[in-house]
Amino acid sequence: MGLAALPLAFLLSPVRTLRESGIRLAELGGSSYALSWREELLRLRLRAGRVHDAAFEASVLGIRFRELGERNSSVNNLSLSYGLYRLCGDNTGAAVALEHLATTWQVEQDYDQSDAALTQALALYRRLEDRGAEVRVLVNLGCNRQFAGQNDS
């Protein structure tokens, strides 16, 4: 019996256990087994309609995949996180997801993509009037300019 065939009520009960197990496994080194738990938790949250929780899980996965050097998985999860945060109206979460996405592009030395994500995050933070976050994003934009200049020489 596949996961899709199980009733939703049955699937909701293990969410806490999955999350706790995933966190413990990640603390033990973030094995691929821990990532598969997190991916399953993301699917469960989406299936249950828990969009905000799913956005958080996608962000955690995106960051972890970036740390493992898996750019495509990182970008896909962080883009999903951004979209889910926007869907539930959490502009702060969306901006943070964009910052994480920008970092992934920065690590890959794709400063144009990083700048695009940071520019979107900056616009959200300005609407939220979060001055501290604005400063952080502006510093990161400046770092991108500096890094891009170093790579051109």
Side-chain angles (χ1 to χ4, degrees):
M1 176 186 289
L3 186 62
L6 295 172
L8 186 58
F10 177 80
L11 292 172
L12 291 178
S13 62
V15 167
R16 175 176 229 112
T17 304
L18 281 171
R19 184 161 195 243
E20 290 170 356
S21 297
I23 290 170
R24 279 197 300 272
L25 288 169
E27 289 170 355
L28 295 174
S31 66
S32 61
Y33 186 66
L35 289 173
S36 67
W37 276 104
R38 281 243 179 241
E39 288 172 324
E40 186 63 26
L41 181 55
L42 172 60
R43 283 189 288 277
L44 288 170
R45 297 238 191 249
L46 285 170
R47 184 155 183 225
R50 298 184 62 179
V51 177
H52 197 270
D53 292 336
F56 172 79
E57 294 302 334
S59 185
V60 170
L61 279 165
I63 293 165
R64 187 66 187 124
F65 279 122
R66 178 181 64 229
E67 291 168 350
L68 295 171
E70 297 183 29
R71 181 191 57 116
N72 290 339
S73 294
S74 177
V75 168
N76 290 341
N77 278 283
L78 291 169
S79 296
L80 174 62
S81 176
Y82 166 73
L84 292 172
Y85 278 126
R86 292 293 293 201
L87 184 66
C88 60
D90 182 349
N91 287 331
T92 300
V96 170
L98 285 166
E99 282 189 88
H100 287 302
L101 188 56
T103 301
T104 298
W105 289 119
Q106 192 179 60
V107 167
E108 294 294 319
Q109 298 181 356
D110 188 336
Y111 302 111
D112 291 336
Q113 291 277 18
S114 182
D115 282 352
L118 287 170
T119 300
Q120 286 182 289
L122 183 61
L124 288 171
Y125 285 133
R126 284 184 171 156
R127 270 188 261 154
L128 293 165
E129 297 181 2
D130 186 337
R131 302 298 176 232
E134 279 185 54
V135 169
R136 184 178 62 240
V137 170
L138 289 168
V139 167
N140 282 323
L141 282 165
C143 288
N144 279 353
R145 302 269 176 346
Q146 183 177 9
F147 294 149
Q150 287 176 351
N151 288 337
D152 290 340
S153 55

